[in-house]
Amino acid sequence: MLFRSEGISILFIEHVMKAVASLCHRVVVMNEGKVLCEGVPGEVLKRQDVIEAYLGGGVKKNAKG
């Protein structure tokens, strides 16, 4: 790992969650320009807010219907 051996970090922007989980040891999930959450992929990808934002949890309807 470059970070541990060389002190190098890489910014990896991806929407394919399988790729993220297999390549990253820490992730930051952003939604609408704000940090939604961060942590290890296995925990982050189980969060309901991440599922709704990125994995097809549906579209929230407004009060008008």
Side-chain angles (χ1 to χ4, degrees), residues 1-10:
M1 295 192 144
L2 289 174
F3 175 73
R4 292 190 178 132
S5 65
E6 304 294 329
I8 297 172
S9 295
I10 297 172

Side-chain angles (χ1 to χ4, degrees), residues 50-58:
V50 173
I51 292 168
E52 289 175 4
Y54 284 94
L55 302 177

Side-chain angles (χ1 to χ4, degrees), residues 2 4 6 16 18-20 23 26-27 34 37-41 44 49-52 56-61 65:
L2 289 174
R4 292 190 178 132
E6 304 294 329
V16 177
K18 259 188 175 177
V20 172
L23 294 172
R26 180 177 172 268
V27 296
K34 297 179 182 162
C37 66
E38 59 184 282
V40 296
V44 169
D49 51 355
V50 173
I51 292 168
E52 289 175 4
V59 178
K60 293 180 182 179
K61 294 183 180 180

